[in-house]
Amino acid sequence: MSKNVKHLVAVAVLVVIGAIVTYFLLTTIYTLPLAASAEAGPIDTMFNVQFILISFLFALIIVFMGYAIVVFRRKPDDEGEGDYFHSNTTLEIIWTIVPLIVVIALGIWAATVLAEVTEAKPNEMRVNVIGRQWSWLFSYPEIEEIGLSDHLILPVNRTIVLQMTTADVLHSFWVPEFRVKQDLVPGKVTTLRITPNLIGDYKIRCAEICGFDHSKMLADIAVVSEEDFNAWIEEQTVKLADLSPAERGEKWATDYGCKGCHSSDGSQLAGPTWLGLFGREELLEDGQTIIVDEEYIRKSILDPDMQIVTGFQPGLMSALGDFGERFNDDEAEMRTNEGLEVDIIEDIIAYLKTLQE
Ligand code: CUA
């Protein structure tokens, strides 16, 4: 074997070993989250091919460089000039053409996968998504029984078309386990298709910096069996008349999206937590202290910016519209449609009273 061939064989072996080690490290460091949607399959295959290519290219460059530095270094007694090389045209053509083909092929492949993942599927179910600073709201326009919800429940193995809008700034709907991601853009309806194929609980994250509490803009998503999903719809068809005021209050808190900003477990969201709120003494921005009673709650719902408790930002709740007006309209509708006499604010207060520490 000539000396050159020996070097080439040694380098080739080192490149293969280097690529394998790099691939092992990459896939150990960057473990992908659980794959829980049909869309995840082709996307993970692409990730994997990228990892293999990256490992090979990394090893190729590092091994050639390292080998040259170590094996061809100047010997202690060598004072001569190095050999003169001119460029190698064949090599240059190869290292231009090969990556070009690889990149074009990856581009075509990615476009095909994107088209496949975003195309309409049979038996889709539509879900509307509203993103706002800093919570999510969902509704199921095709299922009358389900009102607005602050969490998502989806049947397994059915393609869901999310029609997404934002009430304020850019947000992005992202469930890492589903791999796909889509921005919510002001003034536009954007679409995302997901086909969850693994029963379980996941978290929706906002993946677009959208202000102070961006990192807290999370929502629960549960993927359930077809039967559980139907049972859940059934559960939603509760007769309002059968509920106690506090139970209705909890339902309103969900339906009107209150829970997006007011937690019931003491955690701090955009608005004060409702846990232990009733009867609490609060310091207002103007230095005055008040006790949170029926009257204060009613006033705060009807005119949220009037008496702001220190530490909270005015304008957030009023930006969501006039709740007093909405409640009046909905109460009138319940009166005409179901002959039901309810006071939504009173129900919410009744619910608040149950949230004591
Ligand atoms: Cu919404 Cu970040």
Side-chain angles (χ1 to χ4, degrees), residues 51 63 65 73 83 94 121 131 138 151-152 155 161 163 196 200 202 210 213 270 274 284 328 341-342:
F51 277 155
V63 166
M65 218 165 65
R73 71 186 184 282
D83 286 343
I94 292 172
K121 315 272 181 336
F138 309 99
H151 59 281
L152 253 187
V161 199
Q163 302 274 10
Y202 310 98
C210 58
D213 269 339
W274 282 359
L284 298 183
N328 276 338
E341 204 59 58
V342 289

Side-chain angles (χ1 to χ4, degrees), residues 132 134 136 169-172 206-211 214-215 217:
R132 48 180 200 188
W134 291 275
W136 299 94
V169 299
L170 281 176
H171 301 282
S172 188
C206 177
E208 197 74 66
I209 298 276
C210 58
H214 153 73
S215 62
M217 191 168 160

Side-chain angles (χ1 to χ4, degrees), residues 260-309:
C261 296
H262 300 281
S263 76
S264 54
D265 61 359
S267 59
Q268 202 61 274
L269 304 175
T273 178
W274 282 359
L275 183 69
L277 181 65
F278 193 83
R280 191 156 65 201
E281 204 177 80
E282 295 279 29
L283 181 65
L284 298 183
E285 291 274 73
D286 61 6
Q288 200 191 334
T289 1
I290 48 106
I291 300 279
V292 179
D293 56 7
E294 272 108 352
E295 199 200 321
Y296 177 72
I297 294 170
R298 187 172 286 273
K299 272 199 300 202
S300 299
I301 294 174
L302 296 176
D303 187 0
D305 293 335
M306 209 172 61
Q307 291 184 300
I308 293 283
V309 169

Side-chain angles (χ1 to χ4, degrees), residues 49-107:
V49 169
Q50 295 270 351
F51 277 155
I52 293 170
L53 281 175
I54 289 168
S55 308
F56 171 68
L57 284 174
F58 180 78
L60 194 67
I61 293 163
I62 294 298
V63 166
F64 265 92
M65 218 165 65
Y67 194 86
I69 290 170
V70 174
V71 179
F72 303 128
R73 71 186 184 282
R74 189 180 69 86
K75 305 291 180 303
D77 55 344
D78 181 5
E79 297 296 334
E81 297 273 327
D83 286 343
Y84 174 74
F85 290 97
H86 197 268
S87 56
N88 186 328
T89 314
T90 322
L91 209 54
E92 280 174 20
I93 290 174
I94 292 172
W95 78 44
T96 305
I97 300 284
V98 172
L100 191 68
I101 293 172
V102 171
V103 170
I104 290 174
L106 281 177

